[in-house]
Amino acid sequence: MERLEPIEAARLFIDKYFTNCNAAVLAGSVVRGQATATSDLDIVVFDEQIESSFRESVCEFGWPIEVFVHNLSSYKDFFLMDYHIAKPSMQRMVTEGIVLRNDGILNDIKLEAEKMLTAGPKEWSVETIRTKRYFISDVLDDFIGSTNEQEAIFIASSLSMLLHEFVLRVNNQWIGTSKWMVRSLRQYDSTFADKFIEAFQVFYRTGEKAKVILLTEQVLEPYGGKLFAGFSLGKK
C-alpha cells in the first residue's frame, strides 16, 4: 500500500480504530523531524472506555504503527513509572505530540506532563551517588585491564551507559536508552556530548582507551573520584 503522509495516516488510524476516544496525539521521530526510512508512527490514545492501558503494534496505511492506549487515569501510572526510572518517554510523547483529537481532556494531561519534564527526575541521594561511583569504577578497572579486544568492546558499552546515567542524574537531568542516550546528553550539554562521543569513537575505531579513561576520571573527580576501598552494600 502507498505510504500516506504521517498526519493523514494517523488520523485515518484513529478514525478507524478509536472512533470514540477522548483524545489522541501523534508523537515520535516523525513529529521531531528525525524520521528515518524505518521510523514508525507513535500514537497515544486516551479513551475513558478502556478498562486498562495497553500497547499494540500494527501496520496500516503504509506505516508501522505503535499505539499506546490509556484511560483517563492509567496514564498517571506510566508518568510515575517514567519519573522513577528518569526516562520520560510518555511525558515527551504527550507534550511534543501533534493533536489528532481532543474533547478537552488533553490540555490538563499536557500540563501535567510539562510540569514533570520541567521539574526533572528525583534527585539522587549521596548514598546513591556513592554506589554509582563504585560500579563505574569497577567497570572502568575492567576496561583498563582488559587485554581481550572483543570483551573490551562490550565493557566499553557498559561503561558508556553507566557514565551517561551518572552525568545526567547528578545534574538533575533525564536519561535515555539507545538513541536517547546521546539526545539526552546533547540536551544537557552539547559540548560535553561531543567530548563523550569522541572518546568512545576513538576507542571503537582504534582500540585506544586513553580518552575514555580520562573522561570517566574527570566525571567522577568532583564526587570523590574512583571508589573501591571502604565501599560496602547491605552490610548490617
Side-chain angles (χ1 to χ4, degrees), residues 3 42 44 47 64 70 126 146 155 176 214 220:
R3 173 171 282 195
D42 294 324
V44 184
D47 189 336
H70 297 274
V126 172
S146 176
I155 297 171
L214 178 61
L220 293 179

Side-chain angles (χ1 to χ4, degrees), residues 13 43 139 175 181 203:
F13 178 80
I43 300 176
V139 175
I175 64 173
M181 284 177 59
F203 167 71

